[in-house]
Amino acid sequence: MSTRETLLGAAALKSLRRTRGWSLADTARALSATARCLGQPLDSSVASVQRSVARWESTTRPILPSDRYQLLLAHLYARGVDGHIALGPGSDFAELLDALAYLGESEARLSDLRALLIRAATDDGTGLLALLGPTTRLSMAAALTDPARVDEVLIDGLRTAVGDVNAQVGSLPFARLQLLLAPVIESCRRLLTGDVPAALLPGLRTVAAQAYTLGGRLAFETRDDQASRALYTAATATAGQLDARWRRAVVHMSHALVILYSTPGIEAARGLVDAAVRDARTGDSVRVRARAHALQAEVAARAGAERHAQTALSLAWYDLDGDGEDDPALTSFGRDHLRGFEGLCELYVGDAAVAHDFFAGSAAALGAPRERVQRAIVSIDQALACIRLDAPERAADLLHSCVDSAVSTGGRVPALRLRQARKELRPWRREDFVAHLDDHLVEILGR
């Protein structure tokens, strides 16, 4: 962090304040009022808070606001002058995060701050357009009236909104994420039926395919299977119009996982996985190809086809061992995820002890909030391995933490896996550790 950067941060904070027409004293009073609204009134006087604001905006030696003041500033600037919450590009909130970054705040802390405000925006059921900045909202309104007015700014804004919702999986309940994504999905549908400039169609279709795919997953998690099927159908058709075949492979894999957990048998899921492998092999993303092969290995293992499963796993490792530096889907799949698939294959057609170790290593590595749901699933699979190793009490301990994760996200897959694991514990149903688990399930999940 250079002196120039800190001065830029201070200037940005001053600009935000002046845009609102506030003096230093006005800002201090607004921060104090915000603190009271949050139920955390400040001990400091308005004059003391005003001095803090001045230090943040100093033209010689500006300082970074403390964590508490950052939270107050975030709540203050998240609501625009029109009274609506706006967190997307071009909003005052986005400008605030940029200013804090210049003043030296870490990316991790800024991500946490953003997550807190997204949660706050959905607490009362409002804020459906919170992830769309003011510029994007204006562009969208104009484009919905006349699709010929679609521009790169609008597409970038929609892409950012989809990314924001996706980043909050595991941090916010799926029902809230579904509400946040709904305006983007509806906008994409309407725009794609209009006369969008041909040069911008690939970008819009890419964003639409991403939105429909995420929407299909969220609808499944909230137990709306009809909407989920419709969204996956739309995602498949839209991605099929793109030259990048790996994008349709992503749709197929997401849909396959939904089918795997909502439809008896594995044939329907197998067809989608095989289609994903075909698309991935002709695509530019080795990461997507690795994930497709890993999913193919899981389906084969569930069917008892050990040799097929091991072959697919070998192909997945081969894909990941290649040079993926320029991969267009660089962060979509990695070694820690693949170890989870290895564990599944060992669980169904191999050694339960080896499976347990794979699951333990994978769960420990999946530490990001975005990976919370996946971590719960892997931990449940680890519990299943414990049961097969005749360690049911250890399995019950693992399942307790998974119950909390399942209810906090509203995730359907962890709940289904929990039900399966509980059935596996039937031989020990009279034991205290199973009774305690049942009490937890009844208390939290209502079953």
Side-chain angles (χ1 to χ4, degrees), residues 54 268 298 370 372 421:
E298 177 185 346
R370 175 65 177 79
R372 187 179 182 188

Side-chain angles (χ1 to χ4, degrees), residues 336-354:
D336 295 327
H337 298 89
L338 185 51
R339 290 189 187 97
F341 281 95
E342 282 193 309
L344 276 172
C345 291
E346 291 290 343
L347 183 65
Y348 286 105
V349 293
D351 187 330
V354 175

Side-chain angles (χ1 to χ4, degrees), residues 122-197:
T122 60
D123 274 343
D124 59 1
T126 61
L128 295 185
L129 299 177
L131 298 182
L132 303 177
T135 302
T136 305
R137 291 186 195 182
L138 292 173
S139 297
M140 183 184 293
L144 290 174
T145 302
D146 179 9
R149 299 176 67 178
V150 169
D151 56 20
E152 290 287 358
V153 173
L154 174 57
I155 294 175
D156 286 343
L158 294 173
R159 183 182 296 111
T160 298
V162 174
D164 283 341
V165 174
N166 190 43
Q168 297 307 316
V169 170
S171 298
L172 283 176
F174 286 112
R176 294 195 188 190
L177 296 176
Q178 198 173 19
L179 289 173
L180 284 171
L181 190 63
V184 178
I185 289 175
E186 182 59 25
S187 297
C188 288
R189 280 175 170 163
R190 291 175 60 182
L191 292 174
L192 285 175
T193 61
D195 295 325
V196 174

Side-chain angles (χ1 to χ4, degrees), residues 212 228-238 251 255:
Y212 298 159
S228 180
R229 286 191 295 270
L231 284 163
Y232 276 119
T233 298
T236 303
T238 305
V251 178
H255 195 188

